[in-house]
Amino acid sequence: MFNPFKKNHKASDMTTPDHDPATAASPSNGDATTATPDTAAAPATPSLEQQLADALAKASEASDAFLRAKAEAENTRRRADEEISKARKYAVEGFAESLLPVMDSLQAAIAMPDAKVETVLEGVHATLRQLTAALERNKVLPIAPPAATKFDPHHHQAISMVPADQDANTVVAVLQKGYLINDRVLRPALVTVAAPK
């Protein structure tokens, strides 16, 4: 027998919460979950005690390096001072050694009081050659300008001006040799200079 309410009953059954598509599509609040992306674990921050210990270790290393550098600088300065002191103390050692043969020759001449004049004069010339060689080895060179050389106030000392048949302010004669050591004047040459005409 046909029941006109049966269809409606089925329709009502289909619209219950279990069969409602809208209700089925959205989960209940109790079942909802929030998805969170995986995050990398942050590195652990060193504690204050560890940071302090690291800082003290670095400070100690820097202090040791400074002390070593300071000690090395002091040693270098001390060695330099010693070398300078030795150089000053023994600066004339080589020069003195080169003069020893001259001393030997003079002593040998004195030991021969009865020697002839010719022999003594020959010995004097030999001694002079030894002395000249010793001076040259030590860069001590004579200043002996030839006649008519232009007067140089840095190397010459004029004793007088004399009439001469040459240009004025030129050397006429050398009265005493001067000497240089390494281009520095030890003693200027004593000279006479031509007077203006």
Side-chain angles (χ1 to χ4, degrees):
M1 186 172 176
F2 175 74
N3 186 352
F5 298 101
K6 187 175 183 179
K7 182 177 181 181
N8 292 336
H9 179 70
K10 289 182 178 179
S12 176
D13 291 343
M14 293 182 65
T15 56
T16 58
D18 294 338
H19 297 88
D20 187 359
T23 305
S26 58
S28 63
N29 292 336
D31 297 332
T33 57
T34 303
T36 57
D38 294 334
T39 57
T45 302
S47 64
L48 291 178
E49 291 79 3
Q50 183 62 40
Q51 293 180 19
L52 177 60
D54 294 342
L56 290 176
K58 291 180 180 180
S60 178
E61 291 177 1
S63 177
D64 291 343
F66 170 75
L67 292 177
R68 285 194 298 269
K70 183 178 179 181
E72 182 62 26
E74 287 293 330
N75 291 335
T76 302
R77 184 189 60 78
R78 185 169 57 253
R79 287 194 296 268
D81 289 343
E82 290 175 356
E83 291 297 326
I84 293 173
S85 177
K86 290 179 181 179
R88 290 175 178 172
K89 187 175 181 179
Y90 302 108
V92 297
E93 181 178 2
F95 183 66
E97 184 179 1
S98 66
L99 292 178
L100 294 181
V102 179
M103 176 67 73
D104 295 338
S105 296
L106 292 174
Q107 289 176 341
I110 294 174
M112 299 172 60
D114 298 330
K116 294 181 179 180
V117 175
E118 294 82 3
T119 304
V120 173
L121 185 59
E122 183 181 351
V124 169
H125 283 295
T127 303
L128 179 59
R129 288 192 295 271
Q130 287 179 325
L131 180 58
T132 301
L135 292 175
E136 289 178 351
R137 282 198 300 273
N138 290 277
K139 309 300 182 184
V140 179
L141 302 175
I143 302 174
T149 300
K150 185 174 178 60
F151 177 77
D152 182 355
H154 299 292
H155 290 172
H156 310 148
Q157 181 177 344
I159 298 300
S160 63
M161 299 189 76
V162 298
D165 189 17
Q166 61 189 56
D167 295 337
N169 296 321
T170 57
V171 174
V172 175
V174 177
L175 304 179
Q176 185 183 68
K177 290 181 179 181
Y179 287 92
L180 297 168
I181 180 168
N182 289 323
D183 298 328
R184 182 176 181 178
V185 176
L186 284 175
R187 185 182 73 186
L190 300 182
V191 299
T192 55
V193 180
K197 296 181 181 179

